[in-house]
Amino acid sequence: MKTWLLLPTALTTFALTQTHALANEPTTFAPTLQTNDSWFKEGQSVLSAAMQTAPINTPARNIILFVGDGMSVGTMTAARIYAGQQAGDSGEEFRLEMEALPHVAMSKTYNTDMQTPDSAGTATAMVTGVKTKAGTLGVNDNVQRGFCSTIKGNEAKTIFQIAAEKGKALGVVSTARLTHATPAATYAYSADRNWENNTTLTNISVEQGCRDIAQQFVDYDYGFGGFQVALGGGLREFTLVSDGGKRTDHDLTTLWQQRYPDGAFVSDHAALMDIDVSETERLFGLFGLSHMDYELDRDDSQPSLAQMTETAISMLAKNDDGYMLMIESGRIDHAHHAGNAKRALEDTLAFDAAIAKALAMTDPNETLIIVTADHAHTLVMNGYAPRGNDILGLAMNADGPVKADDGKAYTTLTYGNGPGAISGERAEPTAEAVVGDDYLQQALIPLSSETHSQEDVAILATGPKAWLFQGVVEQNYIFHVMNEAFK
Ligand SMILES: [Zn+2]
């Protein structure tokens, strides 16, 4: 590997020398296979497992779509190293739970009108099978953002409606507001993702018959009944201003309870833990006025994503005909927007723990589990730190911090843009500061909120029809595999 660092002239000389030596001694080069090398042995054992992985081609009883909002491939790599280092290892060799899923493809995430996508358009692509514009939910590309009148006739049927028609139970779980773009795509049609409560709708939109997203959640029926389980943040979008919420029309938690007298509404961790799943017909939980807390900041008043996942699967598994469930880790994205890699990595590990819980609770012969991201972020990994270097730390070498051409140290993780950018001369990051909870990684372009990236994201899958994830695919293809799996 050292030859990569040689200057071109030295590299040429080296290559010529090698050629010359080989030409004079043609018969002495006879290596034996390195079967005792631990890397070789590990490769062989992975190969054996892969050769025994037969495609499962029977229909799926259940589908769980895991969405790590903003979980770029670089986020996965950094989270893997972070987790390995927390376990006391060098980190690079660690494997996240999601990385054990056998079938993998890459997803092209652009929206019909944007090279760099937003979460409403990407979630819509995944659940409806068609790409659409940024900022719109549950509708095709004919809809103009913000224009209620353009929705009629352009609604797109979702995998959730298809599942409900087959008698399957429905579930949605998110650490973001339940009315936020990704979870909202499971139940709402909206010309604008920001129409989360009644005060956000324009008068003309109300006159044209548009309802806000929270209202659409409570109204969601289509003749099959609504969601059997919905857990997330965003209480304020469902409650009145007089109760600390945002609404001026009516309290939607009360309306939901009236519509589902057998259902249970909960708003804290203890109440969720008290739920007797076998006795509960439906479950609606809203933990926190807005988004739920980052995993790094979460106290016991809120459940973890893994705990919500466990409850959701327990509820849905009671249905004889199976279920369709989306689970979103909504705040990886928010931590990246804030330019704060540590919280993004912590939330990625909480997401991975939820995936582990789902894998443990389901049978791969009957449940299709898909793990993907809706879009990437501009998180960058800079070389050349040695093996085992703290993933949040300064890039080091044997003499101490590696110095950039400005004579200053730098971190392995930086962002392409965001609040960590500095106008003028770059500050010298210190070893203590860069591992702090609130440290903002340095960035090139100053922006108050770091942006999404249009880089492809991963799709990892196991279970029935998971083998259909192959190659580099358009994001809306995810729907088509789910739809095929439910046939
Ligand atoms: Zn975002």
Short mmCIF file of all heavy atoms in Angstrom, two decimals, residues 69 119 333 337 375 377 452, ligand 1:
data_model
loop_
_atom_site.label_atom_id
_atom_site.label_comp_id
_atom_site.label_asym_id
_atom_site.label_seq_id
_atom_site.Cartn_x
_atom_site.Cartn_y
_atom_site.Cartn_z
N ASP A 69 -33.40 8.18 7.75
CA ASP A 69 -33.50 9.45 7.03
C ASP A 69 -32.12 10.10 6.96
O ASP A 69 -31.52 10.41 7.99
CB ASP A 69 -34.49 10.38 7.74
CG ASP A 69 -34.98 11.49 6.83
OD1 ASP A 69 -34.15 12.14 6.16
OD2 ASP A 69 -36.21 11.71 6.76
N SER A 119 -37.18 14.75 1.37
CA SER A 119 -37.73 13.51 1.96
C SER A 119 -39.17 13.22 1.56
O SER A 119 -39.60 12.07 1.61
CB SER A 119 -37.66 13.58 3.48
OG SER A 119 -36.32 13.56 3.91
N ASP A 333 -30.91 12.56 9.91
CA ASP A 333 -31.01 13.70 9.01
C ASP A 333 -30.86 15.03 9.74
O ASP A 333 -30.12 15.92 9.30
CB ASP A 333 -32.38 13.62 8.31
CG ASP A 333 -32.66 14.79 7.40
OD1 ASP A 333 -31.99 14.90 6.36
OD2 ASP A 333 -33.54 15.60 7.72
N HIS A 337 -28.04 17.92 9.33
CA HIS A 337 -28.38 19.32 8.99
C HIS A 337 -27.72 20.28 9.98
O HIS A 337 -27.33 21.38 9.62
CB HIS A 337 -29.90 19.53 9.02
CG HIS A 337 -30.62 19.06 7.80
ND1 HIS A 337 -30.28 19.46 6.53
CD2 HIS A 337 -31.67 18.22 7.65
CE1 HIS A 337 -31.11 18.89 5.64
NE2 HIS A 337 -31.95 18.12 6.30
N HIS A 375 -32.25 9.60 1.30
CA HIS A 375 -31.28 10.41 0.56
C HIS A 375 -30.01 10.46 1.39
O HIS A 375 -30.01 10.07 2.57
CB HIS A 375 -31.81 11.82 0.31
CG HIS A 375 -32.21 12.51 1.59
ND1 HIS A 375 -31.29 12.99 2.48
CD2 HIS A 375 -33.42 12.73 2.15
CE1 HIS A 375 -31.91 13.50 3.53
NE2 HIS A 375 -33.23 13.34 3.36
N HIS A 377 -26.32 12.68 2.70
CA HIS A 377 -25.89 13.99 3.21
C HIS A 377 -24.45 14.23 2.80
O HIS A 377 -23.80 13.33 2.25
CB HIS A 377 -26.02 14.03 4.74
CG HIS A 377 -27.33 14.57 5.21
ND1 HIS A 377 -27.58 15.90 5.39
CD2 HIS A 377 -28.50 13.93 5.52
CE1 HIS A 377 -28.84 16.08 5.80
NE2 HIS A 377 -29.41 14.91 5.88
N HIS A 452 -28.81 18.10 2.08
CA HIS A 452 -28.82 16.73 1.56
C HIS A 452 -27.79 16.62 0.44
O HIS A 452 -27.30 17.63 -0.07
CB HIS A 452 -30.20 16.39 0.96
CG HIS A 452 -31.30 16.44 1.97
ND1 HIS A 452 -32.62 16.28 1.63
CD2 HIS A 452 -31.29 16.61 3.32
CE1 HIS A 452 -33.38 16.36 2.71
NE2 HIS A 452 -32.60 16.56 3.74
ZN ZN B 1 -33.36 16.58 5.60
#
